[in-house]
Amino acid sequence: MYDQGAAGVNRSRSVSYYRAVPGRSRQKRMGHSQERVRLIQLAVCLVLFLTVFLWNGIFPQRLVQVRNNILTLISTDLDFEAALSNLGKSLAESDTVLSDIGAFCVEVFGGSAEEIPVNEITFTPPAPESMVAEELSFLSQTPVLAARTAHYTQISRFGLEVPQVEREPEEPVVEEAPKEEPAPAVPAAGTLVAASDYSGPELPKNYTMDQLSLGDLETMAPVKGYLNSPYGYRDHPIDGEYHFHTGADISGHMGDPIAAFADGTVEYTGEDDSYGLYFQLDHGNGVKSFYAHCSKVEVVKGQRVSMGDTVARIGSTGSSTGPHLHLELKFNKMHLNPAYYVDFLGQ
């Protein structure tokens, strides 16, 4: 398509030249010179097109950008036939190849022709004979796609030097880390967490069925066992009278270890006919735990313990029908239901 257009233009200019200037030998020399320039111009255009299309084959990471450019071209009302016709006219009328290439690229691919000033582009036409010999030698080697791309993108071989356009570096997109929602505040020790719907007999003084917060205290079950007798009113297993049970009886085997409910200090130890061997731990902020019916107490008053430390052994001392742990929990002398704070087997 380019050869036919260029030939037609040359014939037109040849006729016009004969009419204006006498001397056929000079006209032929001028015509050959102009034809040589046009061939070089067309070769440069070919290199530019090969650079655009082969770039996509060697650098697949540019595929998205190239696809967007193609979609833009398809969506616009671009008359390619007119663009090529204008290129032919420009090649016939212009004195330099630079303005021709620039105008054609702006018309087809868009963009600003002022991005690279023309006066900064240098063009030194090589000899056509050497170019042809070099291309024939290269193509005779049957180069692979990568080699062909590297070869044809060296536009400096055609005498064209285009300076690099300095662009401002794009600022990297920094993705904001998801904001962590703050953990809900732990209610202070003694704060009402859940009100009980208790409707039984009047509770003894300093006893409640409501669930109160123990603050941020870390706790654990002193023993892993079943709940034999819950906190609240019950028929006493020994005297048969209806009494309020001040703690929770948790099953266990004789001599099994009893762990500290939480970090704390041994407040006191003792023994009597009702509770047998017993002791109490102070966990701070008004929270305390009481252990009874032990077979052995392995701590002394004032001793500092950590949650999970063995502080005693399960027994059946005092008023008891078998080995178990009687556990009481308190906040500022108010007795609490251990079922709110300890997990039992079978739950």
Side-chain angles (χ1 to χ4, degrees):
M1 180 175 181
Y2 285 136
D3 292 340
Q4 295 174 357
V9 171
N10 286 335
R11 288 196 299 271
S12 175
R13 291 198 61 176
S14 177
V15 172
S16 175
Y17 188 83
Y18 290 148
R19 292 176 181 176
V21 181
R24 299 182 61 87
S25 60
R26 182 181 179 184
Q27 293 169 356
K28 289 181 179 181
R29 288 195 300 271
M30 292 289 292
H32 289 312
S33 176
Q34 292 175 352
E35 183 178 356
R36 177 180 178 180
V37 173
R38 299 299 176 261
L39 288 175
I40 295 175
Q41 291 174 334
L42 291 176
V44 173
C45 290
L46 176 61
V47 170
L48 291 177
F49 279 112
L50 289 174
T51 301
V52 171
F53 290 105
L54 292 180
W55 179 272
N56 182 41
I58 299 303
F59 301 97
Q61 65 270 22
R62 303 279 301 197
L63 182 58
V64 175
Q65 180 178 349
V66 173
R67 183 198 62 185
N68 294 336
N69 293 340
I70 293 174
L71 290 177
T72 302
L73 288 174
I74 294 175
S75 62
T76 58
D77 297 329
L78 178 62
D79 189 345
F80 283 94
E81 183 176 357
L84 294 174
S85 176
N86 292 339
L87 176 62
K89 295 178 181 179
S90 179
L91 290 175
E93 299 172 358
S94 300
D95 294 332
T96 64
V97 71
L98 301 178
S99 59
D100 302 333
I101 298 173
F104 179 72
C105 291
V106 170
E107 185 172 2
V108 176
F109 296 104
S112 174
E114 298 178 357
E115 194 169 47
I116 301 178
V118 173
N119 58 5
E120 294 184 9
I121 304 177
T122 60
F123 178 64
T124 305
E129 296 80 3
S130 63
M131 289 178 55
V132 173
E134 182 181 352
E135 294 304 318
L136 291 176
S137 174
F138 175 74
L139 294 175
S140 65
Q141 301 173 10
T142 315
V144 297
L145 178 60
R148 293 198 303 270
T149 302
H151 178 76
Y152 287 117
T153 53
Q154 294 176 2
I155 62 175
S156 60
R157 297 185 304 106
F158 300 93
L160 185 64
E161 297 292 339
V162 181
Q164 295 291 333
V165 178
E166 295 184 0
R167 302 179 184 274
E168 295 183 359
E170 297 182 359
E171 296 183 0
V173 179
V174 180
E175 296 183 0
E176 295 184 0
K179 296 181 179 180
E180 296 183 359
E181 296 183 359
V186 178
T191 303
L192 178 64
V193 175
S196 172
D197 58 354
Y198 175 76
S199 59
E202 182 180 357
L203 298 175
K205 184 180 179 180
N206 294 332
Y207 289 84
T208 180
M209 288 292 186
D210 296 336
Q211 180 182 2
L212 305 182
S213 172
L214 301 183
D216 57 358
L217 185 67
E218 187 177 359
T219 65
M220 65 172 292
V223 297
K224 295 181 180 179
Y226 295 94
L227 178 61
N228 287 344
S229 183
Y231 171 90
Y233 282 100
R234 66 167 185 175
D235 293 328
H236 197 279
I238 295 179
D239 60 23
E241 296 183 3
Y242 195 63
H243 294 294
F244 191 89
H245 188 213
T246 57
D249 290 344
I250 307 173
S251 65
H253 298 90
M254 183 68 70
D256 283 352
I258 300 173
F261 174 69
D263 296 349
T265 303
V266 180
E267 185 175 8
Y268 59 80
T269 64
E271 182 178 10
D272 62 23
D273 293 339
S274 178
Y275 288 113
L277 289 173
Y278 61 84
F279 65 98
Q280 182 163 289
L281 300 180
D282 185 351
H283 305 292
N285 293 327
V287 180
K288 300 180 180 182
S289 58
F290 177 81
Y291 311 77
H293 303 302
C294 303
S295 61
K296 182 181 180 181
V297 176
E298 298 188 355
V299 293
V300 296
K301 181 179 179 179
Q303 181 177 340
R304 181 70 183 173
V305 298
S306 299
M307 180 187 69
D309 289 349
T310 298
V311 289
R313 300 285 173 174
I314 287 181
S316 187
T317 58
S319 180
S320 172
T321 58
H324 69 281
L325 169 64
H326 175 83
L327 175 67
E328 297 181 11
L329 297 179
K330 310 170 186 177
F331 173 75
N332 288 343
K333 297 183 179 180
M334 179 68 69
H335 287 70
L336 309 175
N337 185 354
Y340 290 133
Y341 314 98
V342 176
D343 293 329
F344 308 110
L345 293 178
Q347 285 185 331

